[in-house]
């Protein structure tokens, strides 16, 4: 079934979406929200997902260029620098350039991934071997195993194909 969604900040497949699913299903979120502790929920459930979230072989086609991945942890496609919990996955992102900024993390190592997450808080993860940062106008992401997917935190479980394209000036926000 084809799902069409627009997003203002980010969409992603894999770990970042699995964290969104965990948060959606969490009793902890509702309890800590009363005390304005949402970041603690991201931290706790994010740490758990490092250990349990699925990985998959797959590939992405970005503006016609194929990129192969042996163990996709997540691929985040963004219009903004940060997403949930303040992670700066795409420090090169701009919501005005007509491009999507992508962060692909491809590693089997849980410790390597954990250090990548910590580095992303200060936008230092791009130096890591497991990370591929790039911009494109269109990307197709194909995975062998179904992975969680999200658009601005709205989750869809069990996706193996995601197509994302930038609609330049396609989203207007009135404040």
């Amino acid at each position: 079934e084809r799902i069409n969604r627009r997003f203002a900040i980010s969409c992603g497949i894999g770990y970042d979406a699995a964290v969104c699913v965990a948060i959606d299903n969490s009793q902890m979120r509702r309890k800590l929200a009363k005390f304005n502790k949402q970041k603690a929920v991201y931290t706790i459930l994010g740490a758990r997902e490092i250990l349990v979230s699925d990985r998959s072989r797959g590939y992405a086609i970005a503006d016609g260029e194929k990129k192969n991945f042996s163990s996709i942890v997540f691929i985040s496609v963004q219009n903004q620098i940060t997403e949930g919990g303040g992670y700066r996955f795409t420090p090169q992102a701009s919501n005005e350039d007509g491009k999507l900024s992508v962060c692909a993390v491809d590693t089997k190592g849980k410790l390597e991934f954990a250090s990548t997450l910590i580095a992303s808080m200060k936008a230092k993860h791009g130096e890591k071997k497991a990370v591929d940062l790039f911009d494109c106008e269109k990307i197709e992401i194909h995975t062998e195993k179904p992975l969680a997917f999200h658009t601005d935190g709205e989750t869809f479980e069990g996706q193996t194909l995601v197509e994302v394209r930038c609609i330049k000036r396609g989203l207007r926000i009135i404040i």
Side-chain angles (χ1 to χ4, degrees):
E1 172 188 350
R2 189 176 186 109
I3 302 169
N4 291 307
R5 293 285 186 268
R6 289 187 182 201
F7 63 90
I9 297 170
S10 68
C11 71
I13 190 165
Y15 170 82
D16 61 335
V19 172
C20 292
V21 170
I23 289 169
D24 286 348
N25 297 329
S26 171
Q27 296 294 322
M28 183 187 335
R29 176 189 71 169
R30 290 181 269 291
K31 291 176 185 173
L32 291 177
K34 295 176 188 175
F35 304 104
N36 201 25
K37 300 290 183 189
Q38 290 90 337
K39 194 162 185 172
V41 176
Y42 272 100
T43 303
I44 293 165
L45 295 177
R48 192 193 98 209
E49 287 299 320
I50 289 171
L51 301 174
V52 301
S53 66
D54 287 332
R55 288 161 169 72
S56 178
R57 291 181 54 83
Y59 63 94
I61 301 172
D63 292 343
E65 181 184 334
K66 186 175 181 180
K67 297 174 178 276
N68 291 304
F69 302 104
S70 61
S71 186
I72 297 169
V73 179
F74 75 89
I75 299 176
S76 183
V77 181
Q78 300 185 204
N79 281 324
Q80 304 289 326
I81 293 170
T82 61
E83 77 165 2
Y87 293 98
R88 300 182 67 182
F89 291 136
T90 56
Q92 78 279 19
S94 168
N95 60 0
E96 297 179 355
D97 65 359
K99 300 232 175 187
L100 302 164
S101 294
V102 180
C103 175
V105 179
D106 182 39
T107 181
K108 290 181 179 151
K110 294 182 189 321
L111 284 176
E112 181 178 19
F113 176 51
S115 74
T116 299
L117 279 180
I118 292 166
S120 74
M121 296 296 280
K122 297 207 186 276
K124 301 287 185 194
H125 61 297
E127 304 161 6
K128 299 198 172 274
K129 186 178 87 171
V131 176
D132 190 3
L133 299 175
F134 57 93
D135 292 335
C136 60
E137 292 179 9
K138 178 182 176 186
I139 185 168
E140 293 178 19
I141 303 164
H142 302 259
T143 62
E144 286 182 2
K145 290 172 35 180
L147 298 175
F149 174 73
H150 81 92
T151 56
D152 286 338
E154 182 182 0
T155 59
F156 309 90
E157 294 186 61
Q159 303 302 307
T160 57
L161 171 62
V162 175
E163 296 178 28
V164 184
R165 63 185 171 91
C166 187
I167 303 170
K168 193 171 186 177
R169 301 184 192 272
L171 182 62
R172 294 188 184 131
I173 299 173
I174 301 170
I175 298 175

